[in-house]
Amino acid sequence: QVQLVESGGGLVQPGGSLSLSCAASGFTFSSYAMTWYRQGPGKERELVAQISVTGDSTKYEDSVKGRFTISRDNAKNTVYLQMSGLKPEDTAVYYCHGIGLAVGWGQGTQVTVSS
């Protein structure tokens, strides 16, 4: 059974940092490029970052470049999103997913940026 379990969200003040994790199971994690998406209040889900199967190539949505870092550990079947310089507009539920992975979305993890 394919599972993607996101964790690490919470409430943080503007300018703060959070580190998200996504534990994957039930598929060959090291064969899939991985992504982080987010869905803010009243907004559509958007791609935030993606990482290649080996981790040597990453891409970011323009608004998070220089603030967010995606990484992965294929030995632990886990993908991470390190977020710093958080802004209120980063408030969203964050989801991970594999590119081409035939499975629905996980439960996500809520990130709230507020003073």
Side-chain angles (χ1 to χ4, degrees), residues 32-97:
Y32 286 84
M34 295 297 295
T35 61
W36 282 96
Y37 281 77
R38 67 184 179 187
Q39 187 166 17
K43 299 180 181 180
E44 294 188 355
R45 191 170 290 161
E46 64 173 351
L47 177 64
V48 174
Q50 65 182 66
I51 187 167
S52 63
V53 296
T54 59
D56 60 351
S57 178
T58 57
K59 294 181 181 179
Y60 298 92
E61 193 269 330
D62 285 346
S63 69
V64 308
K65 285 180 180 177
R67 299 189 299 121
F68 290 11
T69 301
I70 187 171
S71 62
R72 66 190 296 162
D73 186 336
N74 285 346
K76 295 183 178 179
N77 288 355
T78 301
V79 60
Y80 305 95
L81 187 67
Q82 178 66 42
M83 306 184 294
S84 62
L86 284 162
K87 304 175 181 181
E89 52 263 43
D90 295 319
T91 294
V93 180
Y94 284 72
Y95 304 86
C96 69
H97 210 279

